[in-house]
């Protein structure tokens, strides 16, 4: 046994060791040649790192078909039972197929740090590159191992183990993706106002794309100039690209991504994922032999690359048509290519193994379709485009306190807490009832109690968690404003959220668009936040009242301010919500108190004033802001996806609590309780009518 094991381990180590050696050799070559031609050096190394790793994976998978390895797996796990497609060997096969190459991939990426730093110019540390590689592999390898380990448990009908392994796999997947983003420093920040936002949404409307969000990705460390189209009609652009391409070029690049969305190119990823899943599942069920795996994976990759290149050419043509500016599309591609340290042209053989055609071939194709003569193309490439103006990003976008990352973190914490309450509590209560041998009316009473008790705990959690995190957020915000010399003291003003609408809307998943401090002076009120800073004088305010807040089972309140500035032809409405409260109930009381104070100030009955910031601001200048109605959360794909996930988790919780899905159906009762609660949580959103007038405070 031991001699066979050593031989197998030696065979499995050949490819990883060879890849590490080649990486070290290519690293030295890239560092030496960078002094002569940095673009060629980086392109060669990046191509090697990608294709070399893929080839190593394929060869490593091919080695698994050797008879000695098949015999060794049978000896370790025992022969596969006849008449079954799933046995204990599955986990061993997946382990030896993935773990060696996953570790090797991490090692090779970490060894590449000098090339990233000295040739490409990225500012990642070696530790950051290691963490990126580790979490990228962990988010893929560990879930796969968990799912593979679940197959033998299915055969043994050990459903509690199956559910535990599946939940563990998905948990690692979600956590790993989050850690990968954090390690890369590529944090997306929602850009929901400003001239760039307005232009992108204008292009989307012209293209017939219902764009939901525009994100700017921080690339201070990665030095990446790129843009992406993402599932859910989202466009992402790196700040490195925005600060180095002109407006015309940025418009063209964004139009390229919008064309991807319009023509459903993003769906390709889903199709390719389905293909990989089919192959993987087929391997487990013995539809394919091990020696067929490399060929199947290679064909899948080549097909993906071919379709991706076709899509890129299609998006180029669509962008030129959408903007009517093919010259900016050409110069934008050229600039982005050079910023990313890639050559403008590469060989066709290399192109077959890449998702993008070479930039010069793309430029020539755009020129042909747009009627640009070769002489003019050469002139464009040499001189660039006219109109050297650039989009200006909000200065706070890279260092926001109330950021997209913060909002997503808080929203995720609340959402998963609510889901855990609604899925675990009914199953736990019914599990206790089942252990107590309750049946008939007694079990039905326990089921009713599980629904009522879970809903009560859900309301308590909502009351306390909805404003959690605001205390530390307020401290960071005050410190930031003080460091910018916007405020003189960190202890003045009222901590509030701001929404630039007269009714509740969602801004990047939050009912608050901005967080800031409100100051009430003798003749004016001043708001100082990250997104907006303005002054409203007494004569410019037309109405102040307490109105309903966000739709929820716990009633919330907000302060509505309507204003008008005839001298500048501006009018608008704002919603303010006090954020220093600990619970939603306290926030509603604080909103009513603030509304009363402002009403008394407006008609001259309030004499107490705050120390105002020294800087002078005008009336609000906010413009169009990306937002959605709360009602959209409770309908369509969003609600359906939420209910499906909740249902699956409820079933998993029932299995873990040892509830049966056969007679007497305790598991189904637990799932039913959860689904009732999941539907009930949508009721306030279904009842919400955005066009309804705000209710007057009583």
């Amino acid at each position: 046994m031991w001699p066979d094991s050593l031989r197998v381990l030696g065979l499995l180590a050949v490819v990883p060791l060879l890849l590490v050696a080649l990486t070290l050799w290519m690293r030295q070559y890239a560092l030496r040649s960078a002094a002569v031609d940095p673009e060629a050096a980086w392109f060669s190394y990046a191509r090697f790192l990608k294709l070399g790793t893929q080839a190593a994976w394929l060869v490593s998978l091919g080695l698994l078909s050797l008879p000695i390895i098949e015999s060794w797996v049978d000896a370790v796990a025992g022969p596969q039972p006849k008449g079954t497609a799933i046995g204990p060997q599955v986990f061993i096969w997946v382990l030896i197929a993935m773990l060696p190459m996953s570790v090797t991939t991490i090692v090779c990426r970490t060894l590449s740090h000098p090339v990233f730093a000295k040739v490409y110019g990225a500012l990642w540390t070696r530790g950051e590159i290691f963490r990126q590689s580790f979490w990228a592999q962990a988010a893929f390898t560990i879930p796969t191992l968990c799912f593979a380990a679940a197959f033998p448990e299915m055969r043994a009908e050990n459903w509690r183990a199956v559910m535990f392994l599946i939940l563990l796999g998905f948990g690692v997947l979600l956590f790993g993706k989050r850690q990968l983003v954090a390690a890369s420093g590529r944090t997306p920040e929602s850009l929901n106002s400003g001239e760039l936002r307005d232009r992108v949404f204008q292009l989307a409307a012209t293209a017939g794309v219902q764009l939901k969000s525009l994100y700017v990705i921080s690339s201070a460390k990665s030095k990446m100039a790129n843009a992406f189209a993402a599932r859910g009609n989202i466009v992402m652009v790196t700040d490195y690209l925005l600060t180095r391409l002109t407006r015309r070029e940025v418009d063209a690049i964004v139009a390229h991504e919008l064309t991807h969305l319009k023509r459903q190119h993003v769906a390709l990823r889903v199709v390719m994922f389905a293909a990989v899943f089919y192959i993987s599942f087929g391997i487990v069920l013995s539809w394919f032999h091990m020696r067929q795996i490399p060929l199947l994976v290679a064909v899948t990759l080549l097909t993906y690359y071919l379709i991706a290149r076709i899509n890129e050419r299609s998006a180029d043509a669509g962008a030129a048509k959408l903007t009517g500016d093919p010259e900016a599309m050409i110069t934008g591609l050229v600039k982005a290519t050079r910023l990313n340290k890639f050559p403008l042209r590469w060989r066709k053989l290399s192109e077959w193994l890449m998702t993008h055609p070479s930039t010069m071939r793309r430029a020539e194709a755009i020129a042909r379709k747009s009627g640009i003569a070769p002489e003019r193309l050469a002139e464009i490439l040499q001189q660039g485009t006219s109109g050297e103006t650039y989009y200006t990003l909000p200065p706070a976008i890279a260092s926001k306190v109330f950021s997209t990352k913060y909002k997503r973190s808080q929203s995720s914490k609340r959402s998963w807490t609510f889901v855990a309450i609604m899925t675990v509590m009914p199953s736990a209560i019914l599990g206790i009832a089942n252990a107590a041998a309750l049946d008939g009316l007694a079990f039905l009473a326990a089921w009713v109690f599980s629904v009522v008790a879970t809903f009560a705990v859900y309301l308590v959690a909502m009351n306390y968690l909805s404003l959690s995190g605001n205390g530390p957020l307020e401290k960071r915000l005050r410190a930031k404003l003080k460091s910018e010399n916007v405020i003189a003291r960190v202890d003045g003003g009222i901590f509030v959220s701001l929404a630039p609408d007269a009714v509740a809307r969602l801004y990047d998943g939050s009912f608050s668009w901005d967080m800031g401090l409100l100051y009430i002076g003798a003749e004016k009120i001043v708001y100082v936040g990250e997104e907006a800073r303005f002054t409203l004088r007494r004569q410019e305010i037309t109405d102040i009242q307490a109105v309903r807040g966000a739709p929820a089972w716990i009633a919330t309140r907000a302060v509505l301010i309507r204003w008008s500035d005839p001298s500048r032809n501006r009018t608008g409405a704002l919603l303010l919500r006090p954020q220093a409260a600990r619970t939603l109930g306290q926030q509603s009381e604080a909103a009513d108190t603030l509304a009363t104070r402002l009403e008394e100030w407006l008609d001259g009955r309030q004499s107490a004033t705050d120390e105002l910031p020294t800087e002078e601001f005008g009336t609000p200048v906010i413009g169009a802001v990306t937002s959605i109605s709360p009602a959209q959360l409770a309908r369509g794909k969003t609600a359906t996806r939420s209910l499906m996930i909740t249902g699956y988790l409820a079933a998993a919780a029932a299995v873990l609590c040892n509830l049966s899905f056969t007679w007497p159906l305790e598991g189904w009762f637990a799932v039913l309780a959860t689904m009732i609660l999941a539907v009930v949580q949508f009721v306030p959103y279904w009842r919400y009518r955005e066009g309804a007038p705000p209710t007057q405070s009583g």
Side-chain angles (χ1 to χ4, degrees):
M1 182 65 182
W2 275 110
D4 288 341
S5 297
L6 291 175
R7 281 195 291 269
V8 168
L9 291 175
L11 283 172
L12 294 176
V14 169
V15 175
L17 291 175
L18 180 61
L19 181 60
V20 171
L22 286 173
T23 300
L24 290 171
W25 183 81
M26 282 296 298
R27 185 179 75 173
Q28 291 303 113
Y29 172 79
L31 293 173
R32 286 196 307 268
S33 58
V36 179
D37 190 347
E39 289 183 354
W42 169 249
F43 179 71
S44 297
Y45 190 82
R47 181 178 54 182
F48 159 75
L49 202 59
K50 175 185 175 183
L51 300 181
T53 303
Q54 290 178 351
W57 272 94
L58 292 176
V59 174
S60 181
L61 290 173
L63 290 176
L64 298 182
S65 63
L66 294 175
I68 185 174
I69 295 181
E70 293 183 355
S71 301
W72 179 79
V73 172
D74 286 342
V76 172
Q80 178 131 319
K82 292 184 178 181
T84 64
I86 300 172
Q89 302 93 332
V90 171
F91 180 79
I92 303 296
W93 279 116
V94 174
L95 182 67
I96 62 176
M98 299 189 68
L99 190 59
M101 280 307 304
S102 292
V103 173
T104 305
T105 302
I106 296 171
V107 171
C108 291
R109 291 282 295 183
T110 307
L111 290 173
S112 302
H113 171 258
V115 182
F116 280 104
K118 298 177 182 179
V119 181
Y120 185 74
L123 301 180
W124 288 317
T125 65
R126 192 185 304 274
E128 287 171 335
I129 292 178
F130 169 78
R131 288 193 292 274
Q132 290 175 43
S133 305
F134 174 82
W135 287 113
Q137 294 301 314
F140 172 63
T141 303
I142 296 177
T144 304
L145 290 174
C146 288
F147 300 150
F151 278 112
E153 300 301 331
M154 287 183 187
R155 181 171 172 269
E157 297 187 358
N158 185 0
W159 299 112
R160 296 178 74 179
V162 170
M163 286 300 176
F164 173 78
L165 289 167
I166 291 176
L167 290 176
L168 177 62
F170 277 113
V172 172
L173 175 64
L174 296 175
F175 183 76
K177 284 185 173 182
R178 182 177 298 179
Q179 294 300 312
L180 176 59
V181 171
S184 67
R186 295 171 180 167
T187 306
E189 182 62 43
S190 176
L191 191 66
N192 50 30
S193 64
E195 56 180 356
L196 174 59
R197 177 265 175 207
D198 294 345
R199 177 57 175 156
V200 172
F201 273 78
Q202 180 188 30
L203 287 170
T206 304
V209 175
Q210 291 185 338
L211 187 65
K212 290 185 178 179
S213 298
L214 170 66
Y215 290 92
V216 175
I217 300 176
S218 173
S219 55
K221 289 194 172 185
S222 65
K223 303 298 182 184
M224 178 180 63
N226 213 337
F228 311 92
R231 186 170 55 87
N233 280 11
I234 293 171
V235 169
M236 300 183 177
V237 188
T238 65
D239 54 3
Y240 194 66
L241 182 140
L242 291 173
T243 56
R244 285 159 178 80
L245 268 62
T246 66
R247 289 172 182 256
R248 290 174 57 192
E249 292 163 345
V250 170
D251 289 350
I253 296 296
V254 169
H256 174 97
E257 303 307 326
L258 291 171
T259 305
H260 278 312
L261 294 176
K262 181 179 181 179
R263 298 180 181 177
Q264 302 294 318
H265 293 163
V266 180
L268 169 69
R269 302 172 194 171
V270 178
V271 174
M272 298 310 297
F273 175 80
V276 172
F277 179 81
Y278 173 79
I279 293 172
S280 303
F281 195 68
I283 292 168
V284 171
L285 296 181
S286 301
W287 295 345
F288 311 118
H289 192 272
M290 277 294 177
R291 67 176 62 96
Q292 296 173 308
I293 298 174
L295 178 62
L296 289 167
V297 174
V299 170
T300 302
L301 283 173
L302 290 173
T303 303
Y304 171 76
Y305 293 149
L306 174 62
I307 297 174
R309 290 195 300 274
I310 293 172
N311 289 346
E312 290 302 320
R313 295 189 183 96
S314 172
D316 287 343
K321 183 178 179 181
L322 178 58
T323 60
D325 195 354
E327 294 187 0
M329 185 71 222
I330 292 171
T331 58
L333 287 174
V334 170
K335 280 187 181 179
T337 302
R338 286 173 172 160
L339 287 169
N340 291 318
K341 302 290 177 64
F342 269 38
L344 295 180
R345 189 185 292 277
W346 48 81
R347 296 175 183 174
K348 279 206 168 185
L349 179 61
S350 297
E351 192 171 291
W352 291 347
L353 301 174
M354 301 181 74
T355 57
H356 289 61
S358 74
T359 301
M360 282 304 301
R361 287 195 181 90
R362 294 171 70 180
E364 291 162 356
I366 295 169
R368 283 195 305 270
K369 292 183 179 180
S370 303
I372 299 174
E375 297 79 11
R376 175 57 183 160
L377 176 60
E379 186 179 332
I380 295 168
L381 294 175
Q382 183 177 4
Q383 298 179 359
T385 57
S386 59
E388 300 297 315
T389 58
Y390 297 81
Y391 284 110
T392 303
L393 291 176
I397 196 166
S399 58
K400 285 182 67 176
V401 174
F402 189 54
S403 62
T404 295
K405 179 181 178 181
Y406 174 84
K407 286 184 275 190
R408 287 183 174 179
S409 174
Q410 292 299 108
S411 176
S412 177
K413 180 176 69 175
R414 290 192 296 267
S415 297
W416 284 112
T417 300
F418 296 156
V419 168
I421 290 170
M422 288 191 292
T423 55
V424 174
M425 272 197 67
S427 293
I429 292 173
L430 293 184
I432 294 172
N434 188 40
L438 298 182
D439 58 9
L441 290 178
F443 184 83
L444 182 60
W447 179 80
V448 172
F449 173 77
S450 73
V451 175
V452 175
T454 301
F455 186 63
V457 173
Y458 166 77
L459 292 179
V460 172
M462 177 187 292
N463 192 34
Y464 282 92
L465 286 181
S466 295
L467 300 177
S468 65
N470 278 2
L473 176 70
E474 179 183 0
K475 291 180 180 178
R476 294 199 303 272
L477 178 63
R478 288 180 181 274
K480 178 185 176 183
L481 296 176
K482 178 66 170 61
S483 67
E484 296 173 355
N485 295 320
V486 180
I487 60 175
R489 296 164 42 193
V490 296
D491 57 350
I494 304 168
F495 180 46
V496 298
S497 66
L498 170 71
D501 288 289
V503 293
R505 302 279 295 177
L506 282 162
Y507 311 90
D508 196 24
S510 172
F511 285 103
S512 302
W513 176 65
D514 189 24
M515 291 281 187
L517 302 174
L518 179 69
Y519 297 85
I520 304 175
E523 294 296 326
K524 61 186 178 183
I525 60 174
V526 179
Y527 173 83
V528 180
E530 292 185 294
E531 296 279 3
R533 294 169 187 178
F534 57 82
T535 297
L536 285 173
R537 301 183 182 281
R538 193 191 305 272
Q539 62 270 23
E540 293 169 340
I541 298 176
T542 60
D543 185 33
I544 295 176
Q545 57 177 301
V547 299
R548 68 186 178 193
W553 278 104
I554 299 176
T556 59
R557 306 286 282 169
V559 180
L560 172 64
I561 299 178
R562 297 187 186 275
W563 60 274
S564 175
D565 183 0
S567 64
R568 300 183 181 180
N569 196 27
R570 295 179 189 165
T571 60
L574 307 167
L575 280 179
L576 300 176
R577 296 182 180 86
Q579 295 295 322
R582 294 184 58 192
T583 68
L584 290 178
Q586 292 175 1
Q587 186 189 49
S588 293
E589 294 176 2
D592 286 333
T593 300
L594 178 59
T596 301
R597 181 182 175 187
L598 288 172
E599 288 170 357
E600 292 176 351
W601 169 84
L602 185 61
D603 59 24
R605 290 179 290 153
Q606 175 65 257
S607 58
T609 60
D610 299 326
E611 180 183 348
L612 301 181
T614 55
E615 189 173 349
E616 284 292 331
F617 308 105
T619 50
V621 182
I622 296 175
V625 176
T626 306
S627 63
I628 64 170
S629 169
Q632 290 183 246
L633 293 180
R635 63 177 185 233
K637 294 181 180 179
T638 303
T640 302
R641 183 167 57 247
S642 174
L643 291 173
M644 288 179 62
I645 293 173
T646 303
Y648 291 146
L649 292 175
V655 170
L656 291 174
C657 290
N658 206 29
L659 297 177
S660 173
F661 283 86
T662 58
W663 189 259
L665 310 178
E666 306 104 326
W668 289 114
F669 273 96
V671 173
L672 177 61
T674 295
M675 297 311 293
I676 289 173
L677 293 165
V679 171
V680 166
Q681 73 172 338
F682 288 137
V683 171
Y685 296 93
W686 288 332
R687 295 173 57 190
Y688 178 76
R689 297 293 181 268
E690 188 170 286
T695 56
Q696 183 75 31
S697 60

